[in-house]
Amino acid sequence: MNKDLVSIQADRPAIIVTPIDAISFYRKMDTKATVEEMVAGKYVLVEEYYSNGLEVLSELKKNLLGKYTDKSFQGQRDYRSAFREASHRLLLKVKENKLLVKKSPDIGWLALLYPEISEFYISFPEVQGMNSSWQWYQKWIEVQTLGITLHPFYGAYFPTRFDHLKLFDKWLKKYDGSKDKAIEIGVGSGILSFQLIQNGFLNIFATDTNKNAIIGVAQECKRLGYEDKIRLNHGDLFENCDMLANVIVFNPPWLLAKHKLEEGIDKAIYYEEDLFPRFFEQAQKHLAPNGKIVLIFSNLAQVVDEESTHPIIEELRNNNRFRKELHLRREVRASSKKTQRTDSRENEKVELWVLGLK
């Protein structure tokens, strides 16, 4: 484990530490008028009860759904963007790591992420995200393919469905090559690296551009006793990597970004156009002879947009670097047996690609 990881500071939601000009929202106020002010650019401060903020967000949703009626994928993305912008003007006040409104959740991240700041304002959606993250962190996530539980750190990607992990586990069980060195690009919550360790891999270089992912995996490695097997790196793709690997594992984002990406979770979901060309160019230099590149992907982009290109197929078709050795597919199951899939994801399949050098 890298000793310089102690210098990494976690990314945390933006806060306001200066006085603000805001509308104080209390129960029985005109919610519609308050929302119109918020959409127009005014800050709104939730007073009295935490549930008052939920009331404002509910009204904001109604307001924007009346304006954004396009039900296409792009139309819904536009709606979510407008909702995000307006909703982040709804604020809560924090003092001594506690939300001041009544009946609000107790969120441990407030103390862990802002130990040096005693009083500030933070947006209601950020608090909702932190509360959800804190619940996952406290309750743990049971990872079926690993037989272990994980504490996902705030702002780090973690899966709630495991079909792609089962595909990877299936491949690992049949892999009979060298297990001396492996590289994982985009370590996230560490699950793929932990799968590698459980299947006998000895030395893993795991990297991520998300500082919170690196912090979280470092904590989990210490708890699970994996510190001697993983070297963590905060960087882009193969930055700082001096290893020739027997296996390179990459579970990239599955959707091409059509907007400016933010740090953190956004980059775990969407990829920029140059990501795959840069990955393949660098992977070629870090793959040992007879090594394997294992990519875990999805056809989601093609399900949503039939004209969307598949970056792995494009690489194999247009460049002379790699050959396809294996391509596995598996249907994606709903996250709950009670879920009735009616969206475009009902046709989604997760994929596992194994490539070798030409």
Side-chain angles (χ1 to χ4, degrees):
M1 190 74 66
N2 299 41
K3 293 183 179 179
D4 60 350
L5 293 180
V6 294
S7 64
I8 295 180
Q9 298 296 313
D11 285 326
R12 56 192 187 181
I15 59 174
I16 301 173
V17 295
T18 56
I20 58 169
D21 178 21
I23 299 169
S24 292
F25 181 81
Y26 296 85
R27 281 190 174 185
K28 298 183 180 180
M29 285 181 63
D30 188 334
T31 311
K32 290 185 179 180
T34 302
V35 164
E36 287 293 346
E37 293 275 11
M38 196 164 69
V39 171
K42 193 76 173 178
Y43 280 122
V44 173
L45 179 62
V46 178
E47 302 279 11
E48 292 183 307
Y49 295 96
Y50 184 81
S51 58
N52 289 353
L54 298 174
E55 180 183 338
V56 174
L57 287 183
S58 177
E59 183 59 38
L60 175 63
K61 182 177 180 180
K62 293 178 184 177
N63 180 292
L64 293 179
L65 284 175
K67 299 174 180 178
Y68 292 85
T69 57
D70 183 357
K71 301 301 181 182
S72 69
F73 186 78
Q74 184 59 48
Q76 290 304 294
R77 179 180 285 178
D78 292 340
Y79 158 74
R80 289 193 296 270
S81 177
F83 183 86
R84 174 181 171 79
E85 181 180 351
S87 64
H88 275 67
R89 290 192 280 269
L90 182 65
L91 304 178
L92 287 161
K93 190 170 185 179
V94 176
K95 188 172 183 178
E96 304 299 337
N97 309 127
K98 300 289 183 182
L99 296 168
L100 291 187
V101 291
K102 300 174 184 177
K103 297 186 178 180
S104 58
D106 185 16
I107 305 172
W109 293 129
L110 292 172
L112 291 173
L113 296 178
Y114 305 96
E116 80 286 9
I117 308 174
S118 61
E119 192 170 326
F120 57 88
Y121 300 96
I122 187 169
S123 78
F124 199 96
E126 294 286 17
V127 169
Q128 289 180 301
M130 293 175 80
N131 181 43
S132 175
S133 170
W134 185 248
Q135 299 305 315
W136 282 111
Y137 183 79
Q138 284 191 309
K139 294 178 181 178
W140 303 11
I141 296 173
E142 184 177 357
V143 184
Q144 300 169 5
T145 58
L146 292 175
I148 61 174
T149 53
L150 296 178
H151 292 278
F153 194 81
Y154 172 77
Y157 170 80
F158 63 91
T160 55
R161 299 177 300 174
F162 304 102
D163 301 277
H164 61 301
L165 302 180
K166 291 175 181 176
L167 270 185
F168 186 48
D169 186 66
K170 179 180 179 180
W171 179 80
L172 279 173
K173 293 291 191 293
K174 296 181 178 180
Y175 173 74
D176 59 0
S178 174
K179 297 182 179 181
D180 182 33
K181 296 177 181 179
I183 298 171
E184 183 186 359
I185 301 298
V187 68
S189 54
I191 293 177
L192 298 182
S193 282
F194 298 157
Q195 284 183 273
L196 289 167
I197 291 172
Q198 288 194 347
N199 282 274
F201 281 80
L202 301 175
N203 301 285
I204 299 168
F205 181 91
T207 185
D208 207 295
T209 59
N210 183 350
K211 291 187 289 186
N212 293 24
I214 297 299
I215 293 170
V217 175
Q219 292 180 357
E220 289 300 272
C221 285
K222 184 175 182 179
R223 183 177 67 86
L224 297 169
Y226 292 162
E227 289 181 287
D228 293 338
K229 295 186 180 295
I230 296 182
R231 180 156 62 102
L232 292 169
N233 174 67
H234 174 238
D236 178 59
L237 295 179
F238 296 86
E239 184 179 355
N240 302 320
C241 181
D242 55 3
M243 177 186 291
L244 282 179
N246 307 114
V247 172
I248 297 174
V249 181
F250 189 25
N251 179 16
W254 293 350
L255 293 172
L256 177 63
K258 298 181 180 179
H259 62 288
K260 184 178 180 181
L261 296 182
E262 298 181 7
E263 294 298 326
I265 293 293
D266 208 26
K267 288 189 174 182
I269 300 172
Y270 300 99
Y271 65 88
E272 294 172 324
E273 196 167 4
D274 69 340
L275 174 66
F276 282 91
R278 291 193 302 113
F279 167 78
F280 285 119
E281 180 182 359
Q282 295 178 36
Q284 185 181 29
K285 301 173 184 176
H286 288 276
L287 192 62
N290 300 317
K292 313 293 182 187
I293 295 178
V294 181
L295 295 120
I296 298 171
F297 205 58
S298 164
N299 70 336
L300 178 59
Q302 288 73 48
V303 170
V304 172
D305 179 5
E306 292 182 358
E307 297 183 1
S308 176
T309 59
H310 193 299
I312 302 173
I313 294 176
E314 289 297 298
E315 165 64 25
L316 294 172
R317 179 180 296 157
N318 298 326
N319 297 299
N320 194 35
R321 292 183 281 221
F322 305 102
R323 68 180 188 281
K324 181 184 78 173
E325 295 190 357
L326 184 66
H327 180 207
L328 301 176
R329 305 179 82 193
R330 180 186 175 101
E331 290 187 357
V332 176
R333 299 176 185 176
S335 57
S336 169
K337 292 181 179 179
K338 297 180 181 180
T339 301
Q340 298 296 318
R341 301 293 294 276
T342 58
D343 61 6
S344 60
R345 297 194 71 164
E346 65 183 355
N347 296 317
E348 181 188 358
K349 290 181 173 61
V350 288
E351 306 174 336
L352 182 140
W353 294 77
V354 180
L355 311 182
L357 290 169
K358 277 195 172 181

